[in-house]
Amino acid sequence: MPSVFAQSTLVTLPDQRRLEIIRYGNPTHRPVVFHHGYASSGLSIPPHAELLEQLQLQILAPNRPGVGLSDVHTALTLESFADDVLFGLEALLIAGPVGLLGWSAGGLYAQAQAALYSAQTTTLHLLSTCLPLGEPATYRHLPPRWKTIKFLNDYTAPLARPLFLRLSRQWTREPDRMIDRFMNLLGPAEQEEAGNPVSRIVLRDAAQHGFSHRGQGVYDDGRALCRPPRFHLSAIQAPTTIWHGTDDFIWHPAPIYYLGSRLPHATLRMLPGEGHMLFLKYWRQILEQVSQEMGD
């Protein structure tokens, strides 16, 4: 559940689904939207309240359908969630442009929002991001492992439903064992980044939240990530910074250069020796740049 540092708000969407938005910081400060990773949630924000106060920023972290208290939406797409988020922001009386952050798979949702709602986006930061898996042009640049993952998602996804249900039960009952098990599957850089006890708790709680609703949200999220996008990367007009580690175990850095070439205003920050959770380590630098780009 959200900590004292975070405040959870439920917004009723036009189709009567509930969207949970977790707010960090002062509601009067400049808004930054954070799109969480796959099998994670809006609880993956580093607990640095003093930094948000110093920079006069608030973080709004929407939980995708089937995550936390957000209702399941089996027809989830990248585009439908961009619409959900915009409606949620308006319900919270946030009418002006926002900064966008997207970690891992959340980077693809951030790309969708930035492309579809360019006028409402001041800056875009992609943190160890995912690429558009369902786009044919991008598919050719995917590492072999991700081509296999997409193939399995496209043709055998229903067979994985029992797995997600079992994982949901395990995360509910044994979150500490599960976070240790998960980290042991990753590379040295990720294990070092999550070695901080605070970071471990953040990742653990976010994953436990992510596997709500019997794992249905994780299943639907995977399906959405692999569908052909209905937006063009060239539509992203906001200044974009791609933060990526050279030792990222989950997303090899090679395709990231290709992504950078597709985004009109992209700057690559390839960080030597860093892994997939680098945002936990570079949170201050990321938010300082966001604050500067958003202005007063």
Side-chain angles (χ1 to χ4, degrees), residues 20 50-51 62 67 69-71 75-77 89 93 97 134 142 148 153 156 160 175 235-237 240 296:
E20 182 181 27
E50 73 290 343
L51 177 61
V67 173
L69 297 179
S70 290
D71 289 332
L76 171 68
T77 65
L89 293 175
L93 304 180
L142 296 178
T148 301
N153 194 290
T156 67
I236 298 176
Q237 295 302 307
T240 303
D296 296 328

PDB file of all heavy atoms in Angstrom, residues 20 50-51 62 67 69-71 75-77 89 93 97 134 142 148 153 156 160 175 235-237 240 296:
ATOM      1  N   GLU A  20      -6.328   4.298 -10.544  1.00  0.00           N
ATOM      2  CA  GLU A  20      -5.600   4.738  -9.357  1.00  0.00           C
ATOM      3  C   GLU A  20      -4.402   5.575  -9.777  1.00  0.00           C
ATOM      4  O   GLU A  20      -3.599   5.154 -10.612  1.00  0.00           O
ATOM      5  CB  GLU A  20      -5.121   3.552  -8.520  1.00  0.00           C
ATOM      6  CG  GLU A  20      -4.391   3.996  -7.246  1.00  0.00           C
ATOM      7  CD  GLU A  20      -3.885   2.851  -6.402  1.00  0.00           C
ATOM      8  OE1 GLU A  20      -3.607   1.757  -6.965  1.00  0.00           O
ATOM      9  OE2 GLU A  20      -3.761   3.014  -5.179  1.00  0.00           O
ATOM     10  N   GLU A  50      11.981  15.289   0.250  1.00  0.00           N
ATOM     11  CA  GLU A  50      12.687  16.572   0.330  1.00  0.00           C
ATOM     12  C   GLU A  50      13.148  17.036  -1.043  1.00  0.00           C
ATOM     13  O   GLU A  50      13.209  18.247  -1.325  1.00  0.00           O
ATOM     14  CB  GLU A  50      13.871  16.468   1.297  1.00  0.00           C
ATOM     15  CG  GLU A  50      15.083  15.677   0.800  1.00  0.00           C
ATOM     16  CD  GLU A  50      14.850  14.175   0.690  1.00  0.00           C
ATOM     17  OE1 GLU A  50      13.870  13.689   1.289  1.00  0.00           O
ATOM     18  OE2 GLU A  50      15.658  13.507   0.014  1.00  0.00           O
ATOM     19  N   LEU A  51      13.473  16.107  -1.944  1.00  0.00           N
ATOM     20  CA  LEU A  51      13.904  16.474  -3.293  1.00  0.00           C
ATOM     21  C   LEU A  51      12.748  17.087  -4.076  1.00  0.00           C
ATOM     22  O   LEU A  51      12.921  18.101  -4.765  1.00  0.00           O
ATOM     23  CB  LEU A  51      14.447  15.241  -4.011  1.00  0.00           C
ATOM     24  CG  LEU A  51      14.890  15.438  -5.464  1.00  0.00           C
ATOM     25  CD1 LEU A  51      16.016  16.465  -5.557  1.00  0.00           C
ATOM     26  CD2 LEU A  51      15.318  14.110  -6.080  1.00  0.00           C
ATOM     27  N   PRO A  62       0.278   6.927 -12.325  1.00  0.00           N
ATOM     28  CA  PRO A  62      -0.940   6.138 -12.555  1.00  0.00           C
ATOM     29  C   PRO A  62      -0.629   4.649 -12.629  1.00  0.00           C
ATOM     30  O   PRO A  62       0.358   4.230 -13.240  1.00  0.00           O
ATOM     31  CB  PRO A  62      -1.439   6.663 -13.908  1.00  0.00           C
ATOM     32  CG  PRO A  62      -0.207   7.152 -14.599  1.00  0.00           C
ATOM     33  CD  PRO A  62       0.718   7.654 -13.527  1.00  0.00           C
ATOM     34  N   VAL A  67      -3.581  -3.156 -11.965  1.00  0.00           N
ATOM     35  CA  VAL A  67      -2.464  -2.911 -11.045  1.00  0.00           C
ATOM     36  C   VAL A  67      -2.976  -2.119  -9.855  1.00  0.00           C
ATOM     37  O   VAL A  67      -3.669  -1.113 -10.032  1.00  0.00           O
ATOM     38  CB  VAL A  67      -1.318  -2.151 -11.739  1.00  0.00           C
ATOM     39  CG1 VAL A  67      -0.244  -1.753 -10.737  1.00  0.00           C
ATOM     40  CG2 VAL A  67      -0.718  -2.995 -12.855  1.00  0.00           C
ATOM     41  N   LEU A  69      -5.153  -0.578  -7.303  1.00  0.00           N
ATOM     42  CA  LEU A  69      -6.606  -0.410  -7.233  1.00  0.00           C
ATOM     43  C   LEU A  69      -7.227  -0.064  -8.580  1.00  0.00           C
ATOM     44  O   LEU A  69      -8.440   0.179  -8.656  1.00  0.00           O
ATOM     45  CB  LEU A  69      -6.946   0.682  -6.207  1.00  0.00           C
ATOM     46  CG  LEU A  69      -6.529   0.388  -4.762  1.00  0.00           C
ATOM     47  CD1 LEU A  69      -6.903   1.556  -3.849  1.00  0.00           C
ATOM     48  CD2 LEU A  69      -7.153  -0.903  -4.258  1.00  0.00           C
ATOM     49  N   SER A  70      -6.417   0.007  -9.638  1.00  0.00           N
ATOM     50  CA  SER A  70      -6.967   0.259 -10.976  1.00  0.00           C
ATOM     51  C   SER A  70      -7.694  -0.987 -11.476  1.00  0.00           C
ATOM     52  O   SER A  70      -7.166  -2.099 -11.404  1.00  0.00           O
ATOM     53  CB  SER A  70      -5.854   0.631 -11.962  1.00  0.00           C
ATOM     54  OG  SER A  70      -5.325   1.912 -11.680  1.00  0.00           O
ATOM     55  N   ASP A  71      -8.898  -0.791 -11.973  1.00  0.00           N
ATOM     56  CA  ASP A  71      -9.690  -1.917 -12.458  1.00  0.00           C
ATOM     57  C   ASP A  71      -9.072  -2.534 -13.714  1.00  0.00           C
ATOM     58  O   ASP A  71      -8.411  -1.856 -14.507  1.00  0.00           O
ATOM     59  CB  ASP A  71     -11.118  -1.466 -12.776  1.00  0.00           C
ATOM     60  CG  ASP A  71     -11.914  -1.143 -11.522  1.00  0.00           C
ATOM     61  OD1 ASP A  71     -11.617  -1.737 -10.463  1.00  0.00           O
ATOM     62  OD2 ASP A  71     -12.827  -0.293 -11.598  1.00  0.00           O
ATOM     63  N   ALA A  75      -9.089  -4.854 -22.787  1.00  0.00           N
ATOM     64  CA  ALA A  75      -8.856  -4.231 -24.093  1.00  0.00           C
ATOM     65  C   ALA A  75      -7.780  -3.152 -24.018  1.00  0.00           C
ATOM     66  O   ALA A  75      -7.699  -2.286 -24.898  1.00  0.00           O
ATOM     67  CB  ALA A  75     -10.156  -3.643 -24.634  1.00  0.00           C
ATOM     68  N   LEU A  76      -6.933  -3.211 -23.006  1.00  0.00           N
ATOM     69  CA  LEU A  76      -5.876  -2.219 -22.821  1.00  0.00           C
ATOM     70  C   LEU A  76      -4.996  -2.102 -24.059  1.00  0.00           C
ATOM     71  O   LEU A  76      -4.565  -3.096 -24.639  1.00  0.00           O
ATOM     72  CB  LEU A  76      -5.009  -2.619 -21.625  1.00  0.00           C
ATOM     73  CG  LEU A  76      -3.718  -1.813 -21.401  1.00  0.00           C
ATOM     74  CD1 LEU A  76      -4.019  -0.387 -20.987  1.00  0.00           C
ATOM     75  CD2 LEU A  76      -2.831  -2.512 -20.365  1.00  0.00           C
ATOM     76  N   THR A  77      -4.718  -0.855 -24.453  1.00  0.00           N
ATOM     77  CA  THR A  77      -3.728  -0.554 -25.483  1.00  0.00           C
ATOM     78  C   THR A  77      -2.867   0.601 -24.989  1.00  0.00           C
ATOM     79  O   THR A  77      -3.209   1.273 -24.010  1.00  0.00           O
ATOM     80  CB  THR A  77      -4.376  -0.156 -26.821  1.00  0.00           C
ATOM     81  OG1 THR A  77      -5.081   1.082 -26.651  1.00  0.00           O
ATOM     82  CG2 THR A  77      -5.325  -1.228 -27.329  1.00  0.00           C
ATOM     83  N   LEU A  89      -5.743  13.202 -15.209  1.00  0.00           N
ATOM     84  CA  LEU A  89      -5.109  14.486 -14.891  1.00  0.00           C
ATOM     85  C   LEU A  89      -6.140  15.608 -14.851  1.00  0.00           C
ATOM     86  O   LEU A  89      -6.110  16.465 -13.956  1.00  0.00           O
ATOM     87  CB  LEU A  89      -4.030  14.805 -15.930  1.00  0.00           C
ATOM     88  CG  LEU A  89      -2.803  13.884 -15.941  1.00  0.00           C
ATOM     89  CD1 LEU A  89      -1.876  14.253 -17.095  1.00  0.00           C
ATOM     90  CD2 LEU A  89      -2.048  13.947 -14.618  1.00  0.00           C
ATOM     91  N   LEU A  93      -7.667  18.240 -11.787  1.00  0.00           N
ATOM     92  CA  LEU A  93      -7.571  19.683 -12.058  1.00  0.00           C
ATOM     93  C   LEU A  93      -6.173  20.095 -12.503  1.00  0.00           C
ATOM     94  O   LEU A  93      -5.714  21.208 -12.219  1.00  0.00           O
ATOM     95  CB  LEU A  93      -8.005  20.491 -10.826  1.00  0.00           C
ATOM     96  CG  LEU A  93      -9.411  20.184 -10.286  1.00  0.00           C
ATOM     97  CD1 LEU A  93      -9.726  21.049  -9.077  1.00  0.00           C
ATOM     98  CD2 LEU A  93     -10.450  20.379 -11.377  1.00  0.00           C
ATOM     99  N   PRO A  97       0.473  21.570 -19.334  1.00  0.00           N
ATOM    100  CA  PRO A  97       1.411  20.535 -19.766  1.00  0.00           C
ATOM    101  C   PRO A  97       2.122  19.881 -18.585  1.00  0.00           C
ATOM    102  O   PRO A  97       2.272  20.476 -17.517  1.00  0.00           O
ATOM    103  CB  PRO A  97       2.401  21.314 -20.651  1.00  0.00           C
ATOM    104  CG  PRO A  97       1.681  22.551 -21.059  1.00  0.00           C
ATOM    105  CD  PRO A  97       0.802  22.890 -19.899  1.00  0.00           C
ATOM    106  N   GLY A 134       5.565  -3.942 -31.211  1.00  0.00           N
ATOM    107  CA  GLY A 134       4.651  -4.343 -32.264  1.00  0.00           C
ATOM    108  C   GLY A 134       4.824  -3.606 -33.570  1.00  0.00           C
ATOM    109  O   GLY A 134       4.087  -3.858 -34.526  1.00  0.00           O
ATOM    110  N   LEU A 142      15.204  -5.540 -32.808  1.00  0.00           N
ATOM    111  CA  LEU A 142      15.109  -6.141 -31.477  1.00  0.00           C
ATOM    112  C   LEU A 142      16.162  -7.229 -31.303  1.00  0.00           C
ATOM    113  O   LEU A 142      16.465  -7.961 -32.242  1.00  0.00           O
ATOM    114  CB  LEU A 142      13.719  -6.739 -31.260  1.00  0.00           C
ATOM    115  CG  LEU A 142      12.530  -5.781 -31.243  1.00  0.00           C
ATOM    116  CD1 LEU A 142      11.235  -6.575 -31.063  1.00  0.00           C
ATOM    117  CD2 LEU A 142      12.683  -4.739 -30.153  1.00  0.00           C
ATOM    118  N   THR A 148      11.809 -13.432 -29.511  1.00  0.00           N
ATOM    119  CA  THR A 148      11.209 -14.657 -28.986  1.00  0.00           C
ATOM    120  C   THR A 148      10.074 -14.334 -28.028  1.00  0.00           C
ATOM    121  O   THR A 148       9.002 -14.955 -28.074  1.00  0.00           O
ATOM    122  CB  THR A 148      12.274 -15.506 -28.278  1.00  0.00           C
ATOM    123  OG1 THR A 148      13.314 -15.825 -29.202  1.00  0.00           O
ATOM    124  CG2 THR A 148      11.662 -16.775 -27.715  1.00  0.00           C
ATOM    125  N   ASN A 153       4.314 -14.115 -26.884  1.00  0.00           N
ATOM    126  CA  ASN A 153       3.180 -13.292 -26.451  1.00  0.00           C
ATOM    127  C   ASN A 153       2.085 -13.296 -27.514  1.00  0.00           C
ATOM    128  O   ASN A 153       0.896 -13.349 -27.187  1.00  0.00           O
ATOM    129  CB  ASN A 153       3.659 -11.864 -26.169  1.00  0.00           C
ATOM    130  CG  ASN A 153       2.637 -11.058 -25.410  1.00  0.00           C
ATOM    131  OD1 ASN A 153       1.596 -10.705 -25.932  1.00  0.00           O
ATOM    132  ND2 ASN A 153       2.940 -10.752 -24.160  1.00  0.00           N
ATOM    133  N   THR A 156       1.159 -17.654 -27.883  1.00  0.00           N
ATOM    134  CA  THR A 156       0.945 -18.603 -26.780  1.00  0.00           C
ATOM    135  C   THR A 156       0.547 -17.919 -25.478  1.00  0.00           C
ATOM    136  O   THR A 156       0.558 -18.557 -24.423  1.00  0.00           O
ATOM    137  CB  THR A 156       2.224 -19.437 -26.531  1.00  0.00           C
ATOM    138  OG1 THR A 156       3.268 -18.580 -26.035  1.00  0.00           O
ATOM    139  CG2 THR A 156       2.693 -20.116 -27.811  1.00  0.00           C
ATOM    140  N   ALA A 160      -0.072 -18.697 -20.560  1.00  0.00           N
ATOM    141  CA  ALA A 160       0.658 -18.122 -19.431  1.00  0.00           C
ATOM    142  C   ALA A 160      -0.258 -17.674 -18.301  1.00  0.00           C
ATOM    143  O   ALA A 160       0.217 -17.309 -17.224  1.00  0.00           O
ATOM    144  CB  ALA A 160       1.510 -16.937 -19.902  1.00  0.00           C
ATOM    145  N   PRO A 175       6.418 -11.766  -0.366  1.00  0.00           N
ATOM    146  CA  PRO A 175       7.064 -10.717  -1.173  1.00  0.00           C
ATOM    147  C   PRO A 175       8.576 -10.649  -0.996  1.00  0.00           C
ATOM    148  O   PRO A 175       9.292 -10.383  -1.966  1.00  0.00           O
ATOM    149  CB  PRO A 175       6.378  -9.436  -0.686  1.00  0.00           C
ATOM    150  CG  PRO A 175       5.835  -9.772   0.667  1.00  0.00           C
ATOM    151  CD  PRO A 175       5.460 -11.209   0.599  1.00  0.00           C
ATOM    152  N   ALA A 235       5.941  11.927 -34.047  1.00  0.00           N
ATOM    153  CA  ALA A 235       4.998  12.903 -33.489  1.00  0.00           C
ATOM    154  C   ALA A 235       5.445  13.432 -32.133  1.00  0.00           C
ATOM    155  O   ALA A 235       4.857  14.385 -31.619  1.00  0.00           O
ATOM    156  CB  ALA A 235       3.611  12.274 -33.367  1.00  0.00           C
ATOM    157  N   ILE A 236       6.475  12.831 -31.549  1.00  0.00           N
ATOM    158  CA  ILE A 236       6.964  13.281 -30.245  1.00  0.00           C
ATOM    159  C   ILE A 236       7.837  14.523 -30.449  1.00  0.00           C
ATOM    160  O   ILE A 236       8.942  14.429 -30.981  1.00  0.00           O
ATOM    161  CB  ILE A 236       7.766  12.166 -29.547  1.00  0.00           C
ATOM    162  CG1 ILE A 236       6.863  10.952 -29.298  1.00  0.00           C
ATOM    163  CG2 ILE A 236       8.361  12.678 -28.232  1.00  0.00           C
ATOM    164  CD1 ILE A 236       7.587   9.762 -28.708  1.00  0.00           C
ATOM    165  N   GLN A 237       7.334  15.646 -30.028  1.00  0.00           N
ATOM    166  CA  GLN A 237       8.031  16.910 -30.238  1.00  0.00           C
ATOM    167  C   GLN A 237       8.718  17.439 -28.984  1.00  0.00           C
ATOM    168  O   GLN A 237       9.493  18.398 -29.060  1.00  0.00           O
ATOM    169  CB  GLN A 237       7.050  17.963 -30.762  1.00  0.00           C
ATOM    170  CG  GLN A 237       6.494  17.645 -32.142  1.00  0.00           C
ATOM    171  CD  GLN A 237       7.599  17.494 -33.179  1.00  0.00           C
ATOM    172  OE1 GLN A 237       8.459  18.363 -33.340  1.00  0.00           O
ATOM    173  NE2 GLN A 237       7.589  16.369 -33.889  1.00  0.00           N
ATOM    174  N   THR A 240      13.624  15.098 -25.486  1.00  0.00           N
ATOM    175  CA  THR A 240      13.618  13.738 -24.955  1.00  0.00           C
ATOM    176  C   THR A 240      15.021  13.340 -24.522  1.00  0.00           C
ATOM    177  O   THR A 240      15.971  13.513 -25.282  1.00  0.00           O
ATOM    178  CB  THR A 240      13.110  12.750 -26.022  1.00  0.00           C
ATOM    179  OG1 THR A 240      11.810  13.152 -26.457  1.00  0.00           O
ATOM    180  CG2 THR A 240      13.046  11.336 -25.472  1.00  0.00           C
ATOM    181  N   ASP A 296       9.821  27.578 -14.579  1.00  0.00           N
ATOM    182  CA  ASP A 296       9.118  27.990 -13.358  1.00  0.00           C
ATOM    183  C   ASP A 296       7.604  27.861 -13.529  1.00  0.00           C
ATOM    184  O   ASP A 296       7.083  27.963 -14.607  1.00  0.00           O
ATOM    185  CB  ASP A 296       9.468  29.429 -13.016  1.00  0.00           C
ATOM    186  CG  ASP A 296      10.946  29.587 -12.680  1.00  0.00           C
ATOM    187  OD1 ASP A 296      11.518  28.626 -12.134  1.00  0.00           O
ATOM    188  OD2 ASP A 296      11.514  30.652 -12.973  1.00  0.00           O
TER     189      ASP A 296
END
